[in-house]
Amino acid sequence: MKNFEEISRKLQIHFKNIDYLKEALTHSSFVNEHKDWPFRSNERLEFLGDAVLEFIVSDYLIKKFPSRQEGELTVIRAALTRTETLLEIARNLHLEKYILLSKGEKHLLSRESSLLADAVEALIGALYLDQGIKAAREFVEKNILGRIEFLLQKSTIKDPKSIFQERSQATVGITPVYRILSSWGPDHAKHFKAGVFWKKDLIATGEGKSKREAEIEAAKRALIKKGWV
């Protein structure tokens, strides 16, 4: 059996209650194979950690980029919290050495496995339950938020319309088209509803105080609907 106090030291993450770390590193396959293991799988902690991570990143971005629009912030957040980013964190922490898996899952485990990304979210959830939002924030700041400048410098963060166009052309070979479906309100407080289409098929709609804002919202919802963020 693994020495979780030693794992905690290697991860440089202090836990008041080491049982939270044990649960965070317990995959469901291990629980199924070891009926006497007294802890649940990390799925509940992953669920919590996902929400905590999104809150911490959102709070940070709102304060760091006061002039950026909501659509842009959504894309930056998606880049920071996507599976590929979390996998990189998992590899840096060497979580593949520490996670508890069934014998069958161990054979399938690779450093590209999404279950390692899930374990990162579970760790965040565990830290939140163990010590509150401050400890979870420190982990996220240390391991994730420092990547923002790199992403911006490499121009890997684009607006939702650009991303949806690239994904649409690569996946279905169609360039999306935006149409204003309706507008209402007085001239000084106009409101617009836009739709993004693949030919005649409406993919998603969005609303905003300008046509561009409505189109960006439609693109963002289309990305979410297609699972591309």
Side-chain angles (χ1 to χ4, degrees), residues 13-14 56 124 126-128 130-141:
I13 304 174
H14 170 71
I56 291 172
I124 294 170
L127 279 168
Y128 175 78
D130 187 54
Q131 300 169 56
I133 194 68
K134 181 180 179 181
R137 190 188 302 275
E138 288 175 354
F139 177 88
V140 173
E141 288 178 348

Side-chain angles (χ1 to χ4, degrees), residues 19-95:
D19 287 352
Y20 283 121
L21 176 60
K22 294 177 182 179
E23 184 176 333
L25 295 177
T26 299
H27 188 255
S28 58
S29 66
F30 186 86
V31 175
N32 294 334
E33 194 174 83
H34 298 79
K35 301 299 183 182
D36 58 339
W37 181 244
F39 302 98
R40 292 179 293 202
S41 76
N42 62 8
E43 291 173 349
R44 287 166 56 88
L45 289 179
E46 177 199 342
F47 168 79
L48 175 61
D50 176 66
V52 173
L53 174 61
E54 185 164 308
F55 167 73
I56 291 172
V57 173
S58 298
D59 180 64
Y60 180 85
L61 294 178
I62 284 287
K63 295 171 181 175
K64 183 174 179 63
F65 301 114
S67 62
R68 287 184 179 262
Q69 297 297 315
E70 181 264 351
E72 294 178 282
L73 297 178
T74 297
V75 174
I76 298 174
R77 184 179 64 194
L80 289 168
T81 59
R82 63 189 178 186
T83 298
E84 292 82 0
T85 300
L86 297 181
L87 269 175
E88 189 174 344
I89 305 304
R91 288 193 292 267
N92 291 341
L93 295 173
H94 303 290
L95 289 188

Side-chain angles (χ1 to χ4, degrees), residues 85-166:
T85 300
L86 297 181
L87 269 175
E88 189 174 344
I89 305 304
R91 288 193 292 267
N92 291 341
L93 295 173
H94 303 290
L95 289 188
E96 72 278 0
K97 297 180 181 179
Y98 310 131
I99 192 165
L100 296 173
L101 297 164
S102 69
K103 292 180 180 178
E105 286 288 343
K106 283 182 180 178
H107 292 305
L108 298 174
L109 179 65
S110 73
R111 285 166 63 85
E112 304 300 323
S113 175
S114 62
L115 67 84
L116 294 176
D118 297 339
V120 173
E121 292 181 330
L123 277 175
I124 294 170
L127 279 168
Y128 175 78
L129 290 180
D130 187 54
Q131 300 169 56
I133 194 68
K134 181 180 179 181
R137 190 188 302 275
E138 288 175 354
F139 177 88
V140 173
E141 288 178 348
K142 178 181 178 180
N143 293 284
I144 298 175
L145 293 179
R147 299 168 185 273
I148 290 178
E149 295 303 326
F150 171 79
L151 291 171
L152 292 173
Q153 290 172 5
K154 295 297 183 180
S155 299
T156 56
I157 295 177
K158 302 176 182 179
D159 68 86
K161 288 182 68 176
S162 297
I163 294 175
F164 188 63
Q165 178 171 316
E166 290 177 1

